[in-house]
Amino acid sequence: MVQTQKSVPTLTRADLADELHRTIGLSRAESADLVEQVLDTITEALLDGGNVKLSSFGSFMLRKKGLRVGRNPKTGVEVPIQPRTVLTFRPSQLLRQKLND
Amino acid sequence: MIRSELVQKIADANPHLGQREAERVVSTILDSITDRLTEGGRVELRGFGAFSTRGRNARTGRNPRTGESVDVDAKRVPHFKPGKELRERLNMD
């Protein structure tokens, strides 16, 4: 049930930098650098093992998954799936609301 | 880390900006992502991840306390898929 609307272009790093440039008036180079800094700071906090909670946007939560037995769907051969950390995003109530206004 | 701590780190790393502008940087980025999702679009940040929306069908739910049936309308929900690089980095020991 994945919905994509082709008419709306995908937002990228370059668009975010452009937005900083236009709305705050920072240079294009600094804007691009700041987009990177924000993403890197979030990434570093997650790599340190902490959750990241951005009020009115959502939370990035780390979940530890234990070892389980998986199966190669093509061959049916059982393979162990090693314990791992997965990242989930829990959208804020506000973000959920905005999508349905 | 919470939002104000993220703002503080950006302010600390960019002393010429100051707290107020650091806050504007963070909110402009988060608002732009939110706006594109509400327009029905996607957000792709290579190495970090991609935000998109997914449809949920209308369904009949139940009030867990009273057991009463309630109609839940179809809706869109935000979804985040972590990028390959981030997934891998989270599992390097």
Side-chain angles (χ1 to χ4, degrees):
Chain A
M1 271 202 328
V2 178
Q3 283 186 341
T4 48
Q5 279 173 269
K6 290 280 179 275
S7 54
V8 183
T10 296
L11 191 83
T12 63
R13 276 181 165 73
D15 298 317
L16 291 175
D18 201 53
E19 200 62 27
L20 293 184
H21 169 66
R22 288 194 305 114
T23 65
I24 310 185
L26 301 167
S27 76
R28 288 185 185 279
E30 183 172 19
S31 298
D33 183 51
L34 281 164
V35 169
E36 226 47 58
Q37 284 186 42
V38 168
L39 296 178
D40 285 349
T41 306
I42 294 171
T43 301
E44 289 305 323
L46 293 168
L47 291 174
D48 284 347
N51 294 330
V52 174
K53 298 184 180 182
L54 304 174
S55 62
S56 79
F57 184 71
S59 303
F60 295 95
M61 320 277 256
L62 297 168
R63 298 179 62 189
K64 301 270 181 208
K65 299 280 206 172
L67 177 82
R68 68 188 173 91
V69 178
R71 204 179 281 277
N72 180 325
K74 208 172 291 185
T75 63
V77 178
E78 283 188 356
V79 285
I81 297 178
Q82 296 303 320
R84 66 204 200 285
T85 302
V86 297
L87 175 60
T88 60
F89 175 67
R90 192 158 180 271
S92 73
Q93 209 52 44
L94 185 72
L95 178 55
R96 287 167 168 275
Q97 257 172 34
K98 282 188 173 174
L99 286 182
N100 294 282
D101 279 349
Chain B
M1 181 173 78
I2 62 174
R3 190 170 174 144
S4 58
E5 292 167 332
L6 171 59
V7 169
Q8 189 59 54
K9 286 187 186 199
I10 297 301
D12 289 347
N14 304 272
H16 63 288
L17 280 187
Q19 190 84 17
R20 169 114 27 115
E21 284 216 309
E23 164 56 40
R24 283 189 76 194
V25 166
V26 170
S27 40
T28 300
I29 291 173
L30 298 181
D31 289 351
S32 302
I33 295 171
T34 300
D35 290 349
R36 188 53 52 99
L37 292 176
T38 61
E39 292 160 7
R42 283 170 56 78
V43 180
E44 276 182 26
L45 305 170
R46 279 288 156 85
F48 184 74
F51 295 91
S52 60
T53 61
R54 294 181 171 193
R56 293 277 181 270
N57 290 327
R59 63 189 170 87
T60 304
R62 247 170 226 290
N63 180 324
R65 200 177 319 196
T66 63
E68 246 172 298
S69 296
V70 279
D71 288 329
V72 181
D73 290 338
K75 62 184 171 192
R76 284 194 296 147
V77 295
H79 182 258
F80 174 72
K81 183 171 192 264
K84 189 171 181 231
E85 190 193 324
L86 182 52
R87 280 203 310 269
E88 285 172 357
R89 290 179 71 188
L90 287 171
N91 288 286
M92 285 190 318
D93 294 313

